[in-house]
Amino acid sequence: MQAEIREQYPKPAIHRRNTGYAIDILLESEIFTPGGETFNFCKLLSGSEGTLAFTTEITLHIDPLPAPHEVVVCVHFADLMECMRAVVASMEHQPTACELMDKLVLDCTKANREQSKNRFFIEGDPAAVLMIEFRGDTREEAEAKANTMIADLKQRHFGYAYPIVAAPLSKRVWDLRSAGLGVLSNMPGEAKGVACIEDTAVELADLPAYIQEFDDMMAGFGQKSVYYAHAGAGELHVRPILNLKKESDREMLHTIGESMARLVKKYKGSLSGEHGDGRVRAEFIPLMIGEKNYQLLRELKSTWDPHGIFNPGKIVDAPPMNTSLRYEAGQQDKPFDTILEFNDGILRAAEKCNGSGDCRRLDFAGGTMCPSYRATRNEKDSTRARANALREFLTHSDKANPFDREELYEVMELCISCKGCTSECPSNVDMSGMKAEFLHQYHKSHGVPFRSQVFANIAQLNRFGARISGLSNFFMRNSVTGSLLKSVLGVAPQRSLPPIHGTGLRSWYTKNRNRLAPAVPEKGKVYLFCDEFTDFNDTPIGIKAIELLTRLGYRVEMPEHPESGRAAISKGVLLKARDLAIRNVAIFKDLVTADTPLVGIEPSAILSFRDEYPRMVPEQDKETARALGRNALLIDEFLAREIQQGRITADAFTKAKKRVLLHGHCHQQALSSVDPSAWMLGLPDNYTVEVITSGCCGMAGSFGYEKEHYAVSMNIGELVLFPAVRQAADDVILAAPGTSCRHQILDGTGRKAKHPVEVLWEAMDGKGE
């Protein structure tokens, strides 16, 4: 082929078509031969998977947007094969989407913090659920189409439940479906759903018979597959459950792949219905298209890319699919003794990353994950890179302390422990926990740096500073001594330092306890967690919180207890943090119940009871710690709960008209929700609340103070938060539950944000009028 082209057309003329679609000459141009023949390379290159040319620009054809109103029918099935037959029936009604999730995938969503919330429409324990979308110019039109299909399915005895979900809740249905790939990493044990046969497609009418034969084939291999994705297109992502660290399963991987290729060919289907052939399927291309056609592909490749530099081995001359795998055959993983519990260990926690790249979403996509990547756009600063680096060094390192690697420190350095990945990553990769544990292990070889010791012991330093608060604040605010202090600690000179109050919150509570009886008939009792930040730095907020609760009818008690240990956790000083966790669990376990909860003002402190505490206490105390964590609430959560139950009403609050702009704390977004803060802020009749769609503010505790991290910290703030604050009118109330968030807003925009309890306290006091 190469020789023929050169002999007949040694100097082809390149012509750029003026159609509005032509950008790249190779992709969108025709080659004219002397005989007047033309060759259009667009289709050729679009299926080449980068093996023939390098594309620099592409023009896309845009289709009109679908009808504006949507509903999703979530049809539940007790049997998978019944579901397959129902797919064919459903598509007769021309829905705009028809997607499948089977029981294995649905069960994996239960363990995902974010996706467990999106299971609200699931009824019973289905073997499969079809998510079928209808659209119309009105909601009534879309629902009419949906009900027509439901009647048809019922007449054919397909399905047992047919909930209809309309917008905006329908987005949560699709979020659950989109998480299907990632949540498979949550399967317990070494065996996982392996992406080796997941892209096959057949004619829709053949789908039931094809899946039945596939299911029989897998049973013959002693396998049960995972089924999900694009049922309405005749394409399902199916995955066998294999442990690729075992030689037998690696061989099984290849056997299943080849058997699947033969089955797809029998049904005249496509082995790569949606994605490319790539390393996994390219080995079977000769089987699918025949040896003669395969040789044509090889000649085409050598003509366009004689040196084999474009994506080699992805379509032709591919190595066997079960080589160059992530894991080695017979791999024996070393156990690691960690302070934090990681279920199957920290190595498997890192292995949960399947490379989906959700952590590379940018700020306009919403969510929190991953702020450092969003700021730098560097792969090494993504959750994926950190997980892969940790997995690689823990698997192959020959050092006595495998964590003692400068490369690991470099990729972990900009992780700001926002916890976004623990909820937003489909695989629940807990990079915040892994970073804390990494630092703890790294400190074993290098010691705890001076600055980290200072921040980890900030509660003790603030307690001492409170005794001489006037002198402490003078030294921090004075330009000379303040600059010297920042220089010694390695704090960015641009940062302001939080003041220390001479009378801490606990001292104020002790002095005023006798006058804090509820002013109205008592509605209940709460225990207030006096965190180390509110105690000394945000004392006025703590006072207002106690007064607000008291005036609303709640008795507030504050037992003696140590600090939360949040600062120690963030700096990897985990022995100290573990001791604090054990002591706090022991103090509160017999006091706190659902009726008498533990409430906290600072999100990062009180949420430690839910996240890290159950993972650090001794085994015999873990269930006790988990039970305590369920009743450890943000004060926002407690007030929102009481409002929703009708125990707190708007009667006692101002009728003035106010607008509140709310930024949620990143730990709050990951482990709870911003919704409770919005609920409580919207209690006064004429208060309207807008939630900023920002992730982490960028301060992240001490991270933003550190001079080498200051620029990244501010870049994170500039993504969404700072512009939203600057655009807000002067009379808009800025609210943020996190102390770090409020400080970051002040340093980044010059505007002061309030804790939500301050806003509600002022509204109750009549100051909002």
Side-chain angles (χ1 to χ4, degrees), residues 344-421:
D344 291 331
I346 191 171
L347 176 56
R348 287 191 187 173
E351 289 177 348
K352 288 171 70 174
C353 175
N354 65 9
S356 64
D358 291 66
C359 49
R360 289 169 56 95
R361 290 181 305 184
L362 299 181
D363 51 277
F364 53 77
T368 299
M369 180 178 68
C370 171
S372 55
Y373 174 77
R374 290 176 175 183
T376 69
R377 306 289 178 90
N378 191 324
E379 169 69 15
K380 81 172 181 63
D381 299 320
S382 69
T383 306
R384 178 172 67 181
R386 295 173 184 125
N388 282 336
L390 192 60
R391 171 182 56 80
E392 185 68 20
F393 283 115
L394 295 189
T395 301
H396 297 111
S397 177
D398 56 359
K399 286 188 131 186
N401 181 359
F403 296 88
D404 180 16
R405 301 290 309 212
E406 289 304 313
E407 299 91 339
L408 270 180
Y409 192 92
E410 182 180 353
V411 297
M412 289 289 184
E413 182 180 8
L414 294 189
C415 170
I416 62 177
S417 302
C418 67
K419 298 184 186 285
C421 47

Side-chain angles (χ1 to χ4, degrees), residues 57 85 99 168 183 194 199 201 234 319 412 430 475 491 719 762:
E57 296 181 53
R85 295 190 294 273
E99 298 286 306
V183 295
V194 179
D199 202 26
M412 289 289 184
D430 175 23
F475 273 105
V491 168
L719 293 173
E762 291 175 359

Side-chain angles (χ1 to χ4, degrees), residues 63 140 183 206 225 269 278 391 399 481 533 554 623 710 747:
D63 289 332
E140 290 74 19
V183 295
D206 293 332
S225 183
R391 171 182 56 80
K399 286 188 131 186
T481 55
F533 312 105
Y554 300 92
E623 186 51 47
Y710 175 78
D747 283 357

Side-chain angles (χ1 to χ4, degrees), residues 185-200:
S185 298
N186 291 332
M187 295 180 67
E190 297 274 24
K192 306 290 182 185
V194 179
C196 60
I197 52 175
E198 67 158 13
D199 202 26
T200 63

Side-chain angles (χ1 to χ4, degrees), residues 40-59:
N40 190 316
F41 288 92
C42 192
K43 292 183 179 180
L44 175 68
L45 290 186
S46 67
S48 70
E49 301 181 34
T51 61
L52 299 182
F54 184 81
T55 304
T56 59
E57 296 181 53
I58 297 175
T59 298

Side-chain angles (χ1 to χ4, degrees), residues 81-121:
M81 293 309 158
E82 176 191 327
C83 176
M84 293 298 105
R85 295 190 294 273
V87 171
V88 180
S90 300
M91 292 305 294
E92 293 174 5
H93 296 268
Q94 298 183 322
T96 49
C98 181
E99 298 286 306
L100 168 74
M101 294 182 79
D102 77 350
K103 176 176 168 56
L104 280 172
V105 181
L106 286 169
D107 285 350
C108 287
T109 63
K110 295 177 182 178
N112 182 286
R113 283 195 178 105
E114 189 71 15
Q115 298 311 321
S116 61
K117 304 172 188 175
N118 294 332
R119 292 173 50 90
F120 65 94
F121 62 91

Side-chain angles (χ1 to χ4, degrees), residues 183-346:
V183 295
L184 290 173
S185 298
N186 291 332
M187 295 180 67
E190 297 274 24
K192 306 290 182 185
V194 179
C196 60
I197 52 175
E198 67 158 13
D199 202 26
T200 63
V202 298
E203 285 285 346
L204 187 61
D206 293 332
L207 184 63
Y210 165 71
I211 291 298
Q212 180 66 68
E213 195 164 346
F214 169 76
D215 203 53
D216 294 340
M217 180 189 81
M218 294 299 286
F221 290 125
Q223 279 282 322
K224 181 171 177 60
S225 183
V226 174
Y227 299 87
Y228 72 103
H230 322 302
E235 174 178 309
L236 289 179
H237 294 331
V238 292
R239 292 187 171 195
I241 311 299
L242 300 169
N243 177 7
L244 296 183
K245 295 177 182 179
K246 294 170 59 176
E247 182 63 45
S248 59
D249 279 18
R250 294 163 76 94
E251 292 301 318
M252 179 73 72
L253 174 72
H254 189 277
T255 302
I256 291 174
E258 182 176 353
S259 300
M260 187 65 166
R262 296 186 185 279
L263 179 62
V264 172
K265 186 170 185 178
K266 172 184 174 180
Y267 280 89
K268 296 182 173 61
S270 170
L271 197 61
S272 302
E274 179 186 12
H275 306 293
D277 295 302
R279 280 279 287 107
V280 175
R281 289 173 284 275
E283 178 187 358
F284 305 116
I285 292 178
L287 186 154
M288 298 300 296
I289 68 174
E291 191 61 37
K292 181 178 179 180
N293 290 328
Y294 180 67
Q295 290 306 319
L296 291 176
L297 296 185
R298 296 185 78 242
E299 291 181 38
L300 183 66
K301 169 69 172 174
S302 64
T303 300
W304 282 67
D305 183 20
H307 301 294
I309 61 175
F310 287 112
N311 210 14
K314 298 304 188 296
I315 291 183
V316 299
D317 301 322
M321 65 177 296
N322 58 346
T323 58
S324 300
L325 301 179
R326 170 184 284 192
Y327 307 116
E328 298 175 1
Q331 177 176 318
Q332 297 296 316
D333 297 330
K334 295 175 287 188
F336 297 96
D337 184 21
T338 59
I339 299 296
L340 284 166
E341 181 186 54
F342 292 94
N343 292 328
D344 291 331
I346 191 171

